[in-house]
Amino acid sequence: MELFDGDPITNFQAVTACYPEMVQIVVRKDSGISSVADMAGKNICVGAVGSGYEVAARQILGAYDMSYDDINETFADQSTAKNGIQDGTFDAMFMCSGYPNANVTELSLNGNIEVLTIDDEHLNKLLEAYPFYSAFTTETDEYNLGHEVTSVAVKSMLVCLDTFSEDEIYALTKAIYENLGDIQEINAKGNYMSLESALSGIPSDLHPGAMKYYEEQGVEIPDYLK
């Protein structure tokens, strides 16, 4: 991943995959933007400098053979981006978040926004170029758009320092999955979690304590995680 190119962080291990972080491309309805290609010459908030969604903005623009040279980019956090959409400073913003996102939900209340779908051609380009992405389509209409939205997503993960013992992380993993129902009642994003998907999107370095619990539950551990 380019954020850590030349300076990798290696002192952590994975515990479990959690929920998909969807790249959400929010546009003002009066912006004239119905596709990423329409962003040329527009005022676009691409995210905070060095953030994951700023990287995603560059990658998605690149899939459309565009770059920051083609837009009027601003680097800012989600709250600033939301305010800019509200007051007309920005025509669109990129963000990466679990779905639904509270800022986008707030923006949707007045019916003045759209959330863009990435079409199949450019979605496939992104999936081929960046294997850490997966396709994600909304199953509910939390933003009252009247349609589903398809974009790319990355899987959020719970990780820990590799100094934690096998027993400690075994107990943590067991506590998560033996109380998953309670987690789901507190936060709907817990509905994306299950033992069947616990390893989905984890690239490497599963903690031995988590591995022990999954093996006890009959979860098959891929060789690259051992």
Side-chain angles (χ1 to χ4, degrees):
M1 183 68 176
E2 64 180 86
L3 294 177
F4 303 102
D5 188 26
D7 190 22
I9 297 173
T10 60
N11 63 337
F12 68 92
Q13 293 175 306
V15 177
T16 182
C18 297
Y19 58 87
E21 295 267 0
M22 177 189 182
V23 180
Q24 301 178 41
I25 309 170
V26 182
V27 306
R28 291 176 58 89
K29 279 188 176 179
D30 60 4
S31 67
I33 300 173
S34 58
S35 164
V36 172
D38 298 328
M39 288 185 173
K42 302 290 188 178
N43 298 318
I44 313 295
C45 184
V46 295
V49 174
S51 65
Y53 47 105
E54 189 267 319
V55 173
R58 284 190 276 115
Q59 292 169 342
I60 291 171
L61 286 167
Y64 285 80
D65 298 319
M66 298 172 66
S67 71
Y68 288 166
D69 292 339
D70 299 296
I71 65 173
N72 301 319
E73 79 277 10
T74 296
F75 301 94
D77 59 24
Q78 277 191 35
S79 178
T80 302
K82 181 199 73 172
N83 293 336
I85 292 288
Q86 284 178 322
D87 64 25
T89 303
F90 301 134
D91 297 305
M93 70 177 187
F94 285 87
M95 58 167 296
C96 189
S97 167
Y99 174 85
N101 174 273
N103 284 318
V104 184
T105 299
E106 184 178 338
L107 286 171
S108 71
L109 295 178
N110 61 18
N112 291 333
I113 64 161
E114 267 293 345
V115 181
L116 298 186
T117 278
I118 300 177
D119 61 86
D120 289 345
E121 175 189 351
H122 296 94
L123 186 69
N124 289 332
K125 284 181 68 174
L126 285 162
L127 297 180
E128 183 176 345
Y130 307 106
F132 49 82
Y133 282 134
S134 60
F136 181 87
T137 299
T138 56
E139 296 181 354
T140 58
D141 188 13
E142 302 295 333
Y143 303 148
N144 296 311
L145 303 172
H147 57 81
E148 61 186 21
V149 177
T150 296
S151 184
V152 290
V154 292
K155 206 65 173 286
S156 64
M157 293 189 298
L158 175 64
V159 301
C160 66
L161 291 174
D162 58 13
T163 52
F164 281 95
S165 71
E166 180 176 308
D167 287 346
E168 288 172 319
I169 300 304
Y170 173 88
L172 172 62
T173 310
K174 181 177 181 179
I176 290 170
Y177 283 100
E178 292 192 355
N179 296 279
L180 188 57
D182 293 333
I183 294 172
Q184 291 167 340
E185 287 185 10
I186 296 169
N187 191 322
K189 292 182 180 66
N191 292 316
Y192 289 107
M193 297 180 66
S194 67
L195 279 173
E196 292 73 22
S197 64
L199 306 180
S200 173
I202 295 178
S204 62
D205 297 326
L206 182 66
H207 193 283
M211 187 182 304
K212 177 182 177 181
Y213 177 76
Y214 294 136
E215 287 178 333
E216 287 182 357
Q217 301 304 308
V219 176
E220 185 175 351
I221 312 296
D223 289 339
Y224 64 85
L225 291 181
K226 294 181 178 178

